[in-house]
Amino acid sequence: MATQIATQTATQTATQTATQNQFVQDCVTTLAQRYCGETPVSMRRLESSTNYVYSLKFNKQPNKVIKIFKRDTDKVHRELHLYTVLSKTDVPIPNVEHFDTSKSTIPYSWIMMNELGQSLHKLYWHPLYRHLGKVVLKHLFMKAGAAFAQIHNVRLEEQDSLTPTGLVTKPFRQQLEDQFVSCIDQLIEKNRLEQTEILKAEQLFSTFQDSNETSLCHFDFHPKQLLINGFNISGIIDWEASRSSYSVYDFAKCELKLKMHYSMFDSFRRGYSQVRSLPGDYDEIKKPYQLVTVLAMLKSLPETSGQYGQYRKILGGLLART
């Protein structure tokens, strides 16, 4: 009986998902016809866990990308605002051609932009580049590091209009302390931390260095967010998590992702350092920042996932030195 109920539930969920996907595809087709003047020859859904993102191919138009925001309308305002701000800098970004946050054309907020190429992530895992193109990949990861530094060179306090978008937030110390306490509390509630780990985590966190810096931080910077055209970074996307904060914290978060999934961190760091210097004691001061990132991942990931196990190992390494 239980198996039958589980099967029925799974079937209903699959049907609802298929219906929703078809509805979103119909919305994308409507937008393409209205704003591009033709029906797409093909429509390909791109990887995204938080939004609907589609790549569209046309007969007469260049390829387009449509990003439909599932829930939080504030995020589209933030992204649109940043594309406007960053268009006046050296940070490579897509050109947003059309958008609507009023939900007047479809029941979602959305933006449309030209497709700028494939992601650095996709290129990295392409068999040809993995085996024969390491020199090219090192070059591109250096370019990615330089682009990351360019983001951190943007100072948000000069932009008076940022507050409504949520980009100017509480001071760095309070940001980090609030996040640390929240993560510890949730991990205790889920019985995912031992008492000795809690004590060591508190000890390590107490060593963190505060900062008054107010650079633009991406906070989700990794190769899936970097578009490649030839030998250059053609665009950085997905600015929903961005806000004013401390650039070293943003770099430390990014380092974890790069070292977990890619083998090009040294090239990335060299590219960053050519544009912007890291503190001389970066490898020490990064530890409490990375601790907070690891704890945040451990509270959100399912314990059965491979990434959960990877982050547990990183946590062990951080606390072993405490």
Side-chain angles (χ1 to χ4, degrees), residues 172 176 180 200-209 246 248-253 255-256 259 269 279 281-296 311 314-322:
F172 177 61
L176 214 62
F180 176 76
K200 287 184 176 181
E202 290 173 342
Q203 183 181 347
L204 177 56
F205 182 76
S206 69
T207 67
F208 91 91
Q209 293 188 18
Y246 183 27
V248 176
Y249 176 40
D250 199 17
F251 189 92
K253 287 168 62 77
E255 178 185 347
L256 282 178
K259 285 188 172 180
R269 183 168 176 171
D281 57 349
Y282 165 75
D283 289 316
E284 277 302 313
I285 66 175
K286 72 180 182 182
K287 293 174 185 176
Y289 307 151
Q290 292 186 340
L291 170 68
V292 174
T293 302
V294 170
L295 293 175
Y311 279 111
I314 294 171
L315 178 64
L318 288 169
L319 299 184
R321 306 184 187 97
T322 303

Side-chain angles (χ1 to χ4, degrees), residues 62-221:
N63 291 355
K64 308 289 182 184
V65 170
I66 292 179
K67 179 177 181 178
I68 296 176
F69 293 75
K70 288 183 181 180
R71 293 181 293 273
D72 191 350
T73 303
D74 289 342
K75 290 182 177 180
V76 68
H77 287 296
R78 177 182 300 187
E79 192 148 311
L80 286 168
H81 181 79
L82 279 172
Y83 282 141
T84 300
V85 171
L86 293 173
S87 66
K88 303 168 187 174
T89 71
D90 294 330
V91 178
I93 55 168
N95 176 41
V96 176
E97 295 185 311
H98 305 285
F99 65 90
D100 179 19
T101 62
S102 67
K103 304 181 182 179
S104 59
T105 48
I106 61 174
Y108 304 93
S109 297
W110 58 272
I111 59 177
M112 181 189 295
M113 61 193 79
N114 280 336
E115 188 174 69
L116 295 179
Q118 64 180 319
S119 70
L120 179 55
H121 168 82
K122 187 174 181 180
L123 192 68
Y124 178 86
W125 290 105
H126 192 286
L128 177 64
Y129 283 89
R130 290 285 291 159
H131 297 291
L132 301 176
K134 289 190 175 181
V135 172
V136 174
L137 287 174
K138 285 181 179 180
H139 169 80
L140 288 172
F141 271 83
M142 284 187 67
K143 290 279 190 178
F148 197 29
Q150 289 171 338
I151 293 172
H152 291 159
N153 281 339
V154 177
R155 301 293 181 177
L156 292 181
E157 71 270 19
E158 299 173 4
Q159 305 294 333
D160 294 333
S161 60
L162 288 176
T163 303
T165 63
L167 287 167
V168 175
T169 59
K170 63 187 74 170
F172 177 61
R173 173 180 285 276
Q174 190 177 348
Q175 287 180 39
L176 214 62
E177 285 181 346
D178 289 351
Q179 189 175 4
F180 176 76
V181 171
S182 175
C183 288
I184 290 291
D185 287 347
Q186 291 182 58
L187 286 166
I188 290 173
E189 186 178 337
K190 294 180 179 181
N191 198 28
R192 293 186 178 185
L193 282 181
E194 298 177 3
Q195 186 62 34
T196 54
E197 291 177 318
I198 297 169
L199 293 174
K200 287 184 176 181
E202 290 173 342
Q203 183 181 347
L204 177 56
F205 182 76
S206 69
T207 67
F208 91 91
Q209 293 188 18
D210 197 8
S211 173
N212 293 321
E213 183 186 314
T214 52
S215 293
L216 174 61
C217 293
H218 189 282
F219 279 131
D220 195 23
F221 195 88

Side-chain angles (χ1 to χ4, degrees), residues 15-31:
T15 301
Q16 291 171 353
T17 300
T19 302
Q20 178 67 13
N21 288 341
Q22 184 57 55
F23 175 72
V24 173
Q25 288 180 25
D26 291 343
C27 289
V28 173
T29 301
T30 297
L31 295 178

